[in-house]
């Protein structure tokens, strides 16, 4: 299959206006999960995007990714729920995936009209944004963070998606598979340069001795996350790769390569630079999705590099935001959705296929 870059379509204009407001919350769970919620100002969010930051599964936080998730919310018009998931090596797989699933379930289960902000009944427990996992000195109840705003979850017809960059993209992809297996409806998985192969065997990992991330360092990061169960195969039917299950017996994969099939998972929006070491992993994922009947859009911005989500002025973030805007239903379509029962299964709206 030819996976040449699909030209970015303009879509609706980027959201302009005041910077998004934000709140730091702790979501109920076992254990509770800290998140940072970014809400577009001056309008209801077009959708809810649960985001997992990068950092080789061992580093990073919602606070360190604040400028990235703020820019994503501002340019897309979506609310971005940035998850402070548990980090390796202290917390190995599947802890991070469980934390992202907690945030997805919270975003989905919200009753229409309840706040997606600081509010004990819906949003969990307000906390100081400078807590041990957030690292920001501003209090959650401050001038920008503390006004509860009524935003419904999936039951109000607002689209729900999962996404992440680098290692967070890996987490988001396997969370999308768990959501499929739980019957949790997602409109998309939005992934920026995710690595998928613990062996880092694809040719793109070895094209440049100076490219970031280097294969040896990334293999070490996989080992830190997976422990002694690091995979030595690229076989989708391989046995455990640091796998796990939830109380409801949902399988929590460590990489989509483990899944027997990708059929039924959320459509994918994928972004990666041509010279990124993980490039071939992302292209292979796009091909496997198409082979299993899942729409995938592959974006390869000119000059994009690994880590570009931390540079909000770069084209990669702008193109992902534009793709999110294209997913947003019109108000008329959303009202029509509210009048109809939500099917548990059925065809998904198509995304652009690579030519």
């Amino acid at each position: 299959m030819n996976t040449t870059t699909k030209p970015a379509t303009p879509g609706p204009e980027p959201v302009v206006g005041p910077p998004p407001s934000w709140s730091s919350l702790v979501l109920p769970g076992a254990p509770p999960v800290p998140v940072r919620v970014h809400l577009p100002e001056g309008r209801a969010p077009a959708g809810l995007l649960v985001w997992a930051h990068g950092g080789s599964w061992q580093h990073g936080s919602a606070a360190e990714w604040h400028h990235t998730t703020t820019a994503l919310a501002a340019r897309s018009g979506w609310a971005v729920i940035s998850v402070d998931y548990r980090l390796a090596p202290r917390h190995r797989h599947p802890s991070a995936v469980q934390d992202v699933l907690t945030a997805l379930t919270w975003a989905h289960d919200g009753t229409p009209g309840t706040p997606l902000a600081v509010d004990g009944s819906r949003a969990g427990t307000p906390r100081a944004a400078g807590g041990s996992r957030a690292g920001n000195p501003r209090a959650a109840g401050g001038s920008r963070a503390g006004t509860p705003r009524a935003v419904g979850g999936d039951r109000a017809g607002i689209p729900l998606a999962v996404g992440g960059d680098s290692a967070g993209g890996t987490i988001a992809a396997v969370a999308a598979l768990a959501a499929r297996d739980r019957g949790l409806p997602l409109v998309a998985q939005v992934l920026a340069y995710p690595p998928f192969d613990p062996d880092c065997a694809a040719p793109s990992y070895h094209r440049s001795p100076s490219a970031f991330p280097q294969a040896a360092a990334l293999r070490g990061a996989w080992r830190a996350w997976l422990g002694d169960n690091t995979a030595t195969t690229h076989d989708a039917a391989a046995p455990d790769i640091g796998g796990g299950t939830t109380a409801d017996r949902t399988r929590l994969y460590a990489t989509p390569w483990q899944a027997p099939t990708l059929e039924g998972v959320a459509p994918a929006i994928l972004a990666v630079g041509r010279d990124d070491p993980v490039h071939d992993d992302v292209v292979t994922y796009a091909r496997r999705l198409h082979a299993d009947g899942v729409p995938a859009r592959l974006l390869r911005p000119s000059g994009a590099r690994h880590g570009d989500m931390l540079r909000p002025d770069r084209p990669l973030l702008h193109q992902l935001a534009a793709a999110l805007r294209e997913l947003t239903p019109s108000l008329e379509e959303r009202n029509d959705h509210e009048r109809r029962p939500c099917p548990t299964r059925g065809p998904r709206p198509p995304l652009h296929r690579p030519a």
Side-chain angles (χ1 to χ4, degrees), residues 87-158:
L87 300 175
R90 181 177 180 182
H91 301 286
R92 300 191 189 276
H93 177 73
S95 297
V97 182
Q98 292 169 332
D99 293 347
V100 169
L101 287 171
T102 294
L104 280 170
T105 302
W106 173 80
H108 172 266
D109 288 349
T111 307
T114 53
L116 187 71
V118 178
D119 176 85
S121 62
R122 159 74 162 86
T125 305
R127 69 186 181 100
S132 60
R133 296 179 68 183
N136 190 293
R138 301 181 68 174
S143 61
R144 293 193 54 207
T147 305
R149 292 170 58 186
V151 179
D154 178 75
R155 297 174 190 173
I158 295 179

Side-chain angles (χ1 to χ4, degrees), residues 21-268:
S21 60
W22 62 275
S23 304
S24 289
L25 314 173
V26 178
L27 307 184
V33 177
V35 299
R36 185 170 291 206
V37 180
H38 305 264
L39 292 172
E41 281 292 328
R43 56 172 291 175
L48 308 179
L49 174 63
V50 172
W51 192 262
H53 62 78
S56 301
W57 303 285
Q58 303 165 83
H59 311 289
S61 68
E64 291 176 68
W65 260 247
H66 182 92
H67 294 299
T68 294
T69 45
T70 293
L72 196 53
R75 296 194 68 87
S76 69
W78 285 52
V80 178
I81 303 164
S82 183
V83 184
D84 257 325
Y85 58 84
R86 287 169 286 171
L87 300 175
R90 181 177 180 182
H91 301 286
R92 300 191 189 276
H93 177 73
S95 297
V97 182
Q98 292 169 332
D99 293 347
V100 169
L101 287 171
T102 294
L104 280 170
T105 302
W106 173 80
H108 172 266
D109 288 349
T111 307
T114 53
L116 187 71
V118 178
D119 176 85
S121 62
R122 159 74 162 86
T125 305
R127 69 186 181 100
S132 60
R133 296 179 68 183
N136 190 293
R138 301 181 68 174
S143 61
R144 293 193 54 207
T147 305
R149 292 170 58 186
V151 179
D154 178 75
R155 297 174 190 173
I158 295 179
L160 175 63
V162 67
D165 58 293
S166 193
T170 314
I171 294 166
V174 293
L177 283 164
R180 174 200 67 180
D181 295 341
R182 286 182 171 182
L184 181 65
L186 303 178
V187 298
Q189 48 180 313
V190 183
L191 312 179
Y193 41 83
F196 290 130
D197 178 16
D199 289 336
C200 305
S204 61
Y205 282 105
H206 310 288
R207 287 186 188 131
S208 170
S210 60
F212 173 80
Q214 285 291 290
L218 192 52
R219 282 193 291 267
W222 277 104
R223 287 192 295 270
W225 190 45
L226 301 179
D228 295 332
N229 294 316
T230 306
T232 56
T233 177
H234 202 268
D235 184 356
D240 278 354
I241 306 174
T245 57
T246 61
D248 62 4
R249 308 304 298 170
T250 301
R251 177 69 185 277
L252 300 182
Y253 302 110
T255 165
W257 284 190
Q258 278 187 284
T261 178
L262 301 176
E263 182 181 3
V265 76

Side-chain angles (χ1 to χ4, degrees), residues 284-299:
T284 298
Y285 187 49
R287 289 174 174 163
R288 291 187 178 193
L289 287 165
H290 282 307
D292 286 340
V294 180
R297 181 176 182 181
L298 180 59
L299 304 171

Side-chain angles (χ1 to χ4, degrees), residues 157 330-341:
S330 68
L331 181 59
E332 181 178 347
E333 289 171 331
R334 183 178 296 177
N335 290 339
D336 185 55
H337 174 96
E338 291 176 9
R339 289 190 291 266
R340 299 193 311 268

Side-chain angles (χ1 to χ4, degrees), residues 51 53-56 64-65 67-68 164-168 191-195 211-213 271-273 275-278 303-317 320:
W51 192 262
H53 62 78
S56 301
E64 291 176 68
W65 260 247
H67 294 299
T68 294
D165 58 293
S166 193
L191 312 179
Y193 41 83
F212 173 80
V272 67
D275 297 324
D276 191 319
V278 307
R305 295 175 293 175
H306 202 93
D308 267 4
M309 287 298 289
L310 290 171
R311 306 176 183 94
D313 59 326
R314 300 280 293 171
L316 191 144
L317 186 147
L320 284 181

